[in-house]
Amino acid sequence: MKERLKALTRELMLIPGLSGHEGRVRRYLKGALDDLGLMSRTDRLGNLIATIPGAEDAPSVMLFAHMDQLGLIVRKIEASGLIRAERLGGVPEKALPAHEVLLCVGEGRDVRGLIANKSHHATAQDEKYRVLPYPELFIDTGLGSAADVIAAGINVGTPIVYAPNFVELGGDRIAGTSIDDRAACAVMLEVARALDEVDTHPTVHLVFSVLEEFNLRGAVTAAQALNPDVAIQLDLILATDTPDMAARGDVRLGGGPAMSLYSFHGRGTLNGVIPHPAMVKLFEDAAQDAGLPLQRSAHVGALTDLSYVQLVGDGVAAIDIGFPMRYSHSALESCDVGDLVGLVTLCVEAIRRIDANFSLDRDDYP
Ligand SMILES: [Zn+2]
C-alpha cells in the first residue's frame, strides 16, 4: 500500500487547485472513485461526494478532506507586464519571494512565473531582515507588457499557486506543494479501497471538500445534505519535532497518525473543535487494537472546516485526525509516507467499530 499511496499523493500534489478553482483536482478524484466502482456527485459549491452504504442501524459517518489549496489571485497587471497579487488563504509572506508560481489559465495553457526577490546586490542593510507584505511583491512571467499578459489568458482574478512540486527526501519523507491536504485525499481513497474488504461497517460518506483554505466552510453544504451522525476530518497535524516548534508539543514525523484534542482560532473566526468524547475513545481503542501509535495534539492558532461541520443539524460528533506535517503552507511542506499508511489503517479500524451499539450519548462518557 505504501508505494501506491506515495504515488497517489504525488499525483494529487502536482494538480493545481486553488480554493474556488478545484475542478482539476475534483476530476482526478472522480476518476479515482470511478476506478474503485464508487459513484460520486458534485454539489453546487463543488464538493465531491461518494457514499459507501453500510449497516443502517449504525451512526452514519462523513469522512472528509479538502481538495483546495491556498495561493494568490491576480489583482492588477502593471503596464510593464509585472503582476500584483491578492492573497487567498494563510499565505506565509516570508516564504514567498524567489518562488516559482503557476498562473492557472487552463489545462495546457498555464503560465509559469516567479515571485520577484529584489537583487541582493541592491539590498540595503535594513532591508535584509524585513519581510515584504504581499502587496509589495510582484510576479514576473517574462511577458513584457500588459497586452502580452492578457493575450496569454491572464486577467484580474486568475488563480496563482506555487509551481507544483514533489520531492523525495530521506527514508519515507516527502516534500512539496499542497501535502495539505492532498495527502489526506489520497488516504481517503485508500480507506475507501480497504472498506470494501471489511464485512460490516456503517454508511460512510466520502467528501472531498472545497474552500477550506478560503473560508473554512465549504464542507458545510455537504454536511447539511448528508446529515451525518459522525464527522471525521483528515488533515495535517502540526509536527513539533524541529527546534523552532519544540515548546508546542511532542508530535513527530514518522511517529504515526495523530488526533487533535483541542483547536481554536480567535482572530476573526472565533471557532475550534473540542472532539466528542466518543470519538476520542473510538480512535484510542482502534489504535490500541491495531497496535498503532496515536499522537496527541492541542493547539491554538489553526482551524479546519470541521469547526463548522460540527454545528450542522442537531450537532455532529466530530474529531480531527491527521498526519504530522512540517512547514505548513510553504511551497515545501513535508510529511512521512509511513504516517499516511498508519492513518489509513487507523481510519479503517475506527470506522469498522462504529456499529449499532456505538453510543453518541454524552452521558455515557466521563
Ligand atoms: Zn488543510
Side-chain angles (χ1 to χ4, degrees), residues 138-152:
F138 57 88
I139 292 166
D140 186 346
T141 61
L143 298 164
S145 72
D148 286 350
V149 169
I150 288 166

Side-chain angles (χ1 to χ4, degrees), residues 66 68 180-181 212-213 233-236 303-304 329:
H66 66 91
D68 63 307
D180 167 15
D181 198 17
E212 199 268 356
E213 303 287 1
Q233 197 276 156
L234 302 183
D235 207 335
L236 70 101
L303 281 189
T304 70
H329 287 193

Side-chain angles (χ1 to χ4, degrees), residues 184 187 232-240 249-262 275 279-280 283-284 287 292-299 304 306 319-325 336 338-347 350:
V187 164
I232 302 167
Q233 197 276 156
L234 302 183
D235 207 335
L236 70 101
I237 298 279
L238 285 185
T240 61
D250 288 308
V251 176
R252 53 184 191 84
L253 240 56
M259 67 174 165
S260 168
L261 283 306
Y262 179 70
M279 301 307 294
V280 175
F283 276 92
E284 282 174 341
L292 278 169
L294 179 58
Q295 306 192 78
R296 297 166 73 95
S297 171
H299 279 288
T304 70
L306 187 69
I319 193 163
D320 283 295
I321 298 289
F323 55 90
M325 193 187 82
D336 189 296
D339 294 335
L340 302 180
V341 173
L343 184 56
V344 173
T345 308
L346 178 67
C347 286

Side-chain angles (χ1 to χ4, degrees), residues 151-228:
I154 298 163
N155 212 328
V156 172
T158 296
I160 307 166
V161 294
Y162 297 130
N165 187 17
F166 176 89
V167 183
E168 291 211 46
L169 299 175
D172 286 331
R173 304 257 169 108
I174 58 172
T177 42
S178 304
I179 288 179
D180 167 15
D181 198 17
R182 304 292 165 68
C185 292
V187 164
M188 270 179 53
L189 290 174
E190 285 297 320
V191 170
R193 182 192 294 273
L195 278 177
D196 205 36
E197 321 267 287
V198 172
D199 294 342
T200 55
H201 57 73
T203 292
V204 178
H205 306 287
L206 306 172
V207 176
F208 299 91
S209 66
V210 293
L211 299 175
E212 199 268 356
E213 303 287 1
F214 173 57
N215 65 8
L216 290 165
R217 291 158 177 82
V220 171
T221 57
Q224 282 167 345
L226 298 167
N227 201 20

